[in-house]
Amino acid sequence: MRLSHPWFTKAQRRQLLLNGQRSAAGKNIDPLPVVKLALFDAAATWLLSELDPADPTRAFGLCDLGLGSPELGYVDLTELVRLRGYLKLPVSRDIYFQPQKPLSAYAADARTAGRIIV
């Protein structure tokens, strides 16, 4: 199933799927996040690194719902499509995001700070 929401460029989608395939094959990977999604009128942020090749509506990354406890895990993209922030803005891609370090480094920094720092 493909999402109708254009969060990912074709190149980002390919990289997310490639990372997901490598992970599904049992390879120990620590890729750079590929995309940053956020509710810009709320405190929620997602740094995504993989799409599940068996279910590309399921993504893996660093998830921060703004509650002070960011964590690595899976997120259902169909649920993100329905989310809205305080001003009713939808989840959007940060087009200016340029990853500088592996996902594990973002996760370590986020655990220390209690939120994702980019």
Side-chain angles (χ1 to χ4, degrees):
M1 175 180 179
R2 256 187 94 99
L3 289 175
S4 60
H5 200 286
W7 280 328
F8 313 133
T9 65
K10 288 181 184 181
Q12 288 170 328
R13 185 173 174 77
R14 273 193 303 272
Q15 187 61 53
L16 288 163
L17 284 168
L18 176 64
N19 290 345
Q21 290 165 350
R22 292 171 59 210
S23 184
K27 295 184 179 172
N28 187 13
I29 65 171
D30 186 15
L32 296 174
V34 176
V35 66
K36 175 186 173 188
L37 300 179
L39 275 172
F40 290 106
D41 61 340
T45 305
W46 298 265
L47 296 181
L48 303 179
S49 61
E50 303 175 25
L51 286 177
D52 183 337
D55 179 4
T57 64
R58 191 171 102 123
F60 180 82
L62 181 59
C63 306
D64 180 1
L65 300 180
L67 304 174
S69 56
E71 61 184 41
L72 291 169
Y74 288 92
V75 62
D76 184 337
L77 298 178
T78 58
E79 289 181 15
L80 291 188
V81 168
R82 293 189 295 268
L83 283 182
R84 296 291 181 270
Y86 299 111
L87 300 174
K88 307 299 181 207
L89 295 176
V91 172
S92 299
R93 176 172 54 100
D94 180 348
I95 61 172
Y96 300 105
F97 175 68
Q98 295 292 320
Q100 302 297 316
K101 52 193 169 188
L103 189 63
S104 64
Y106 281 106
D109 291 346
R111 282 187 205 102
T112 300
R115 65 185 182 89
I116 293 176
I117 308 259
V118 287

